[in-house]
Amino acid sequence: GFCHDLETGVDMLTFPGRARMWADIDTFAPRLLVSSPPCAWFSKLENLNQYHYSPEVRRQRRQDAICLLDFGIACCTRNHLAGRLFAHEHLQTATSWQEDSVRAPASCPGVVSVDFDQCIVGLRSPDGKPIRRRTHLLANSLKVQSAFLDLQCPLQNCAHSNHWFEPGRAPLFILPGLHTIVLQGPFVSFG
């Protein structure tokens, strides 16, 4: 498989970055494509902080966030139309779920969704405390959906459900359990 993001040197906000992604989807034909664009702009916390930015900065950040979200959904749609699987994730409370680009595929036949808690798959704060982070997953496979159905934190009002991060310190890639679930391979066929 392949991973494209800023850490791997691919900027999806640029034409060359998007062109490389399209080419790699066509070349490698991923059996399962996972889209996970940055959700900061769509979070409730970010919405509270947006007034600390100038109108120009807010406009640019929103434009970038929409661009990445729409492109992620377009990649999922491309994989789906080629007869392959996709999964798109964002915070459950993210406003991105109300965007037309996300609502359209969500209403297609065969597309399902599920909510899960990332503390169950290993999301931790920099000091090692579990972080609940309720997440919504959109996919075109019942097998993908069923793999995440039981990933619910048993402590609905647990102490780690409202963990706050220092700016720029959110652990976006400390999810070994999530990667294991996605890469286990039970998602070979639709259904």
Side-chain angles (χ1 to χ4, degrees):
F2 59 90
C3 176
H4 289 326
D5 58 25
L6 289 175
E7 288 195 7
T8 62
V10 181
D11 184 354
M12 300 298 173
L13 290 173
T14 67
F15 178 79
R18 290 190 299 273
R20 179 172 173 189
M21 183 67 179
W22 284 135
D24 285 349
I25 290 173
D26 292 341
T27 300
F28 297 109
R31 193 175 309 168
L32 172 66
L33 185 140
V34 179
S35 168
S36 183
C39 57
W41 177 263
F42 303 104
S43 75
K44 290 180 178 180
L45 183 59
E46 185 68 21
N47 284 328
L48 292 174
N49 288 327
Q50 69 176 313
Y51 300 103
H52 295 282
Y53 305 111
S54 70
E56 300 81 36
V57 169
R58 285 197 311 264
R59 197 171 16 262
Q60 186 62 52
R61 289 185 69 174
R62 175 164 174 71
Q63 180 180 336
D64 291 350
I66 294 293
C67 175
L68 294 170
L69 175 69
D70 290 352
F71 185 69
I73 291 295
C75 290
C76 289
T77 301
R78 189 178 193 126
N79 224 46
H80 179 68
L81 293 175
R84 299 183 302 263
L85 304 177
F86 76 85
H88 172 79
E89 72 88 16
H90 249 194
L91 288 173
Q92 179 195 42
T93 58
T95 58
S96 58
W97 296 110
Q98 302 308 313
E99 295 290 330
D100 291 339
S101 64
V102 178
R103 290 170 53 150
S107 63
C108 289
V111 175
V112 295
S113 65
V114 63
D115 293 332
F116 68 98
D117 296 319
Q118 288 196 20
C119 58
I120 301 298
V121 295
L123 183 64
R124 300 290 183 265
S125 67
D127 62 359
K129 293 179 182 160
I131 302 169
R132 185 171 180 199
R133 194 173 195 259
R134 178 60 58 98
T135 301
H136 190 70
L137 186 75
L138 187 68
N140 62 341
S141 168
L142 293 174
K143 291 179 182 180
V144 172
Q145 181 191 43
S146 68
F148 289 88
L149 275 175
D150 294 328
L151 301 178
Q152 307 294 320
C153 181
L155 306 170
Q156 292 302 314
N157 296 312
C158 56
H160 63 264
S161 64
N162 294 314
H163 185 84
W164 293 95
F165 296 112
E166 296 173 31
R169 302 268 308 161
L172 299 178
F173 300 102
I174 308 175
L175 299 171
L178 180 60
H179 294 138
T180 300
I181 291 166
V182 171
L183 298 174
Q184 279 177 343
F187 319 121
V188 200
S189 61
F190 286 90

